[in-house]
């Protein structure tokens, strides 16, 4: 496993559309492990493949708060099939370090995806996990949360 460099806002790769993962290869498997390590190292709750420079439809998410109980969700070719509700809350992104802004997202989503064994899976997510899934999936189509921000980006320090 290795920590990969996180691409920052302004990098062209973050505005590109990602291609599906067609089969699980050694390369993709290593990418998943590296993305998890990179996300945890950066203390993020989610990371999408384009953020480490790979244009594939793959995200990793972990919204668990207890370091002893890491519960990574690995989503390959994810698609949101249902969503409902709306809530505005603070959001940040590892590609936009030190900044946060309020974004309105659904409070519930249902999504289909493949796990790392390429089995079909479905997740029903509420609140923070729903928000995180929406944020990460936007990355796969070249979108950053800043496009949906309500008001200017704030410095993280200003929140304390
Ligand atoms: Ni992000």
């Amino acid at each position: 496993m290795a920590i990969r460099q996180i691409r920052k806002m302004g990098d062209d790769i973050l505005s590109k559309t990602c291609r599906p993962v067609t089969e699980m290869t050694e390369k993709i498997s290593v990418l998943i492990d590296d993305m998890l390590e990179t996300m945890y190292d950066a203390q993020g709750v989610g990371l999408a493949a384009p953020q480490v420079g790979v244009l594939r439809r793959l995200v990793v998410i972990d919204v668990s708060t207890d370091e002893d109980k890491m519960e990574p969700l690995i989503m390959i070719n994810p698609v949101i099939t249902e969503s409902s509700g709306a809530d505005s809350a603070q959001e940040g992104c590892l590609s936009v370090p030190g900044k946060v802004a309020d974004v309105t997202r659904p409070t519930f989503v249902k999504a289909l995806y493949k796990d790392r064994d390429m089995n079909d899976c479905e997740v029903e997510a509420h609140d923070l996990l729903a928000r995180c899934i929406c944020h990460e999936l936007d990355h796969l189509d070249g979108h950053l949360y800043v496009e949906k921000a309500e008001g200017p980006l704030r410095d993280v320090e200003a929140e304390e």
Side-chain angles (χ1 to χ4, degrees), residues 43-62:
Q43 297 183 303
V45 294
L47 189 68
Q51 292 183 275
V52 293
V54 180
L55 290 171
R56 290 292 185 161
R57 303 193 79 82
L58 163 64
V59 307
V60 296
I61 290 171
D62 192 339

Side-chain angles (χ1 to χ4, degrees), residues 46 48 51 92-95 135-136 139 144-145:
Q51 292 183 275
C93 179
L94 294 176
S95 292
H135 175 116
E136 299 309 328
H139 276 296
L144 297 178
Y145 83 97

Side-chain angles (χ1 to χ4, degrees), residues 1-148:
M1 300 224 289
I3 292 170
R4 300 205 185 189
Q5 187 198 339
I6 298 177
R7 305 299 184 95
K8 303 299 191 306
M9 184 166 65
D11 190 317
D12 277 353
I13 206 156
L14 293 174
S15 61
K16 295 192 182 340
T17 300
C18 297
R19 300 188 311 279
V21 174
T22 51
E23 59 175 336
M24 184 50 54
T25 61
E26 177 65 20
K27 203 173 168 184
I28 296 287
S29 185
V30 169
L31 172 64
I32 291 170
D33 289 337
D34 287 356
M35 284 173 62
L36 287 168
E37 187 171 1
T38 303
M39 175 181 73
Y40 289 127
D41 176 69
Q43 297 183 303
V45 294
L47 189 68
Q51 292 183 275
V52 293
V54 180
L55 290 171
R56 290 292 185 161
R57 303 193 79 82
L58 163 64
V59 307
V60 296
I61 290 171
D62 192 339
V63 296
S64 61
T65 49
D66 189 339
E67 282 183 25
D68 297 330
K69 292 181 183 164
M70 296 191 293
E71 293 178 30
L73 178 61
I74 296 156
M75 303 177 82
I76 296 167
N77 303 339
V79 179
I80 291 172
T81 54
E82 270 185 58
S83 67
S84 62
D87 183 42
S88 178
Q90 183 175 293
E91 211 163 291
C93 179
L94 294 176
S95 292
V96 192
K99 299 289 184 182
V100 290
D102 293 331
V103 180
T104 296
R105 300 279 192 188
T107 53
F108 171 80
V109 299
K110 195 183 273 192
L112 293 174
Y113 64 97
K114 290 185 187 297
D115 65 13
R116 70 184 304 169
D117 297 318
M118 296 302 274
N119 293 317
D120 289 316
C121 300
E122 185 175 55
V123 64
E124 295 190 2
H126 296 267
D127 304 318
L128 178 59
L129 182 56
R131 172 173 297 278
C132 200
I133 289 172
C134 292
H135 175 116
E136 299 309 328
L137 267 60
D138 276 353
H139 276 296
L140 304 183
D141 291 312
H143 296 294
L144 297 178
Y145 83 97
V146 299
E147 299 164 35
K148 297 176 176 172

